[in-house]
Amino acid sequence: WAHGRQDTMIIVDGPAPNLPETEAQVAANYINMTAGSSPLPTSPYLAVYAPWLLVVDPSSSIPGASRYLPPGGAVLAMFQQADTQDGTVQTPAGIDFTVKAVDLECRFSNNSLDSLNVNYVNAIKYIPGIGFCVFGGRTLHPAYPDRYISVRRMIIKLEHDFKWLTQYALFQPNDAILWKSITVTIQNYLLQLLQGNQLGGDTPAGSYQVVCDDTVN
């Protein structure tokens, strides 16, 4: 479904807590999702986050009541935070991206964190003095460029905006005048992104190239 749309990312939640369980067991459950006998697709439109969050239960009238929830909802809020602060180019991870929770299903050891990272699972971990932070930004795609969430989401944004910006050209005569108009439109848009630190490189020539001429028409 996501591959067909090419404008959507799916956040995958792991299995619900089955207490008592060790952090090694929890890590193994997630690694099995991405590298087990029936793994999830190696897709740039998928991302897995672990573990579940222990949060204050908003549905309970009992003071201090808590419940476990999957991390997907909180992670999507981090996506929105990144978009608002810096744009889709920002990876929604690090000490600036904390989730509001009482605790985690488990606190992964460094060894488990390394294993999760190698197997494309984005961990949420506790940072003393800061809180529970998202500490991973990978899709399930093993190869560059879109093994990282920020890259895939930036590509989605660019494809969406290019289509929107060039709607006017749909029924225009397909000639050199139109090609020049499209080129200028896209160049102006990309220049704004470059000036907003949304693209790599220091100059337009080092950041992007727009080709709309008789070589592609």
Side-chain angles (χ1 to χ4, degrees):
W1 175 79
H3 269 285
R5 288 182 58 95
Q6 296 188 337
D7 64 356
T8 302
M9 288 206 66
I10 297 176
I11 305 302
V12 181
D13 294 317
N18 184 24
L19 303 176
E21 56 189 350
T22 66
E23 61 93 15
Q25 289 174 321
V26 177
N29 289 338
Y30 280 91
I31 292 172
N32 186 58
M33 292 172 62
T34 62
S37 57
S38 299
L40 291 164
T42 55
S43 169
Y45 300 99
L46 293 179
V48 178
Y49 287 82
W52 280 45
L53 310 174
L54 182 64
V55 302
V56 175
D57 189 351
S59 65
S60 176
S61 60
I62 302 174
S66 60
R67 63 184 295 184
Y68 282 104
L69 290 178
V75 168
L76 288 174
M78 299 301 99
F79 278 41
Q80 184 180 42
Q81 177 185 330
D83 290 353
T84 302
Q85 291 179 182
D86 302 296
T88 53
V89 70
Q90 171 65 49
T91 299
I95 61 174
D96 292 330
F97 296 88
T98 59
V99 297
K100 192 173 183 180
V102 177
D103 206 344
L104 303 174
E105 174 188 358
C106 70
R107 299 192 183 187
F108 294 120
S109 66
N110 287 335
N111 285 339
S112 291
L113 288 170
D114 290 342
S115 296
L116 290 166
N117 184 59
V118 169
N119 288 281
Y120 313 106
V121 177
N122 301 309
I124 299 170
K125 71 176 187 177
Y126 177 71
I127 305 295
I130 297 176
F132 302 103
C133 304
V134 178
F135 250 72
R138 292 194 175 195
T139 70
L140 291 189
H141 197 248
Y144 293 103
D146 52 4
R147 68 187 301 178
Y148 296 111
I149 290 169
S150 57
V151 175
R152 168 41 55 191
R153 296 189 72 233
M154 189 65 180
I155 294 172
I156 290 173
K157 170 183 168 57
L158 290 173
E159 291 176 341
H160 169 274
D161 291 354
F162 290 160
K163 290 177 182 178
W164 183 79
L165 288 168
T166 57
Q167 285 295 304
Y168 74 91
L170 189 58
F171 295 106
Q172 297 297 318
N174 189 25
D175 56 21
I177 295 175
L178 181 65
W179 303 341
K180 181 63 176 178
S181 174
I182 292 173
T183 299
V184 171
T185 297
I186 299 302
Q187 284 177 335
N188 288 340
Y189 167 77
L190 291 173
L191 180 60
Q192 291 178 9
L193 291 182
L194 176 62
Q195 292 171 338
N197 296 320
Q198 299 289 298
L199 299 177
D202 299 322
T203 64
S207 299
Y208 55 83
Q209 182 182 16
V210 181
V211 178
C212 186
D213 56 25
D214 57 358
T215 66
V216 293
N217 282 276

